Amino acid sequence: MLILLCGLLLFLGVHSLRALAPRLRDARIASWGIGSWKAIYSLLSIAGFVLIVYGYGLARSEPVLLWSPPLWLRHFAALFTLPAFVLLAAAYLPNNHFKTRLRHPMLLAVKLWALGHLLAVGWLHAVLTMAAFLAWAVIAFAAARRRDRAAGAPPATRSNVVSSAAAVIIGAVAWAVFVFHLHLPLIGIAPFG
């Protein structure tokens, strides 16, 4: 569990600098240069992610059950993640309605993913992981919205139906592939099994 916690702290800590310590982040960029900052940021993020995956696997081998959610919640969580996949696709596609209206669809995707999974899991390691990602996404989203308001960022006005439809289609296809073909071999749980 300690490795999982260290991974969560490292990964989410690095990703929280812009929200929680923008002056520190800006000072490091000014001091090191943007290229060095991105390299260090990337290396720390990768190290944190590797620790999360490794620590999660170790924690799964000695699980601590907090509660047993009903099976229907697992199905609900799988359906709950469908809009998360759509929002994730929208984060990378230009000029779509999701990005125009929501501004930060990736953070909303993480919120939906974490909340859906938090409802469906009862193991300590999973609860800690999902709660950490949910808390991070809530804080990061609030900070991003504050930054938008402080910068006087006008609402985005360019969006088109084709890009929006592409986000829905790509997100839905990626969701189906992951839920029906990849979740069991990669995570060890069949969402609809």
Side-chain angles (χ1 to χ4, degrees):
M1 190 70 73
L2 182 61
I3 293 173
L4 173 60
L5 290 174
C6 288
L8 287 168
L9 284 172
L10 181 58
F11 184 82
L12 296 176
V14 167
H15 283 81
S16 297
L17 286 174
R18 188 168 187 191
L20 299 177
R23 288 189 184 116
L24 173 66
R25 177 184 176 271
D26 293 344
R28 292 301 103 217
I29 291 172
S31 173
W32 299 341
I34 192 68
S36 295
W37 167 257
K38 286 182 178 182
I40 292 168
Y41 182 93
S42 298
L43 288 173
L44 291 174
S45 296
I46 292 167
F49 185 75
V50 167
L51 288 173
I52 290 170
V53 171
Y54 182 66
Y56 194 91
L58 290 176
R60 263 181 29 179
S61 67
E62 296 179 20
V64 175
L65 185 64
L66 299 175
W67 69 82
S68 294
L71 182 60
W72 65 268
L73 271 178
R74 186 184 321 163
H75 299 175
F76 180 72
L79 293 174
F80 210 64
T81 58
L82 176 56
F85 272 84
V86 171
L87 289 170
L88 186 62
Y92 291 99
L93 292 173
N95 304 327
N96 64 74
H97 289 85
F98 301 102
K99 193 181 289 187
T100 300
R101 297 256 189 245
L102 304 172
R103 311 264 303 183
H104 305 282
M106 180 181 286
L107 293 172
L108 293 172
V110 173
K111 281 186 191 182
L112 286 173
W113 167 78
L115 180 60
H117 282 77
L118 194 56
L119 295 173
V121 298
W123 302 103
L124 177 61
H125 62 279
V127 168
L128 285 173
T129 303
M130 297 308 149
F133 273 96
L134 180 59
W136 170 80
V138 167
I139 291 166
F141 185 78
R145 296 298 288 222
R146 273 194 309 275
R147 275 193 316 274
D148 291 345
R149 285 190 300 274
T157 55
R158 293 187 56 202
S159 60
N160 64 61
V161 174
V162 173
S163 187
S164 301
V168 172
I169 292 166
I170 291 168
V173 168
W175 173 83
V177 168
F178 193 77
V179 166
F180 294 109
H181 300 290
L182 298 176
H183 202 279
L184 180 61
L186 293 176
I187 311 300
I189 296 169
F192 290 109

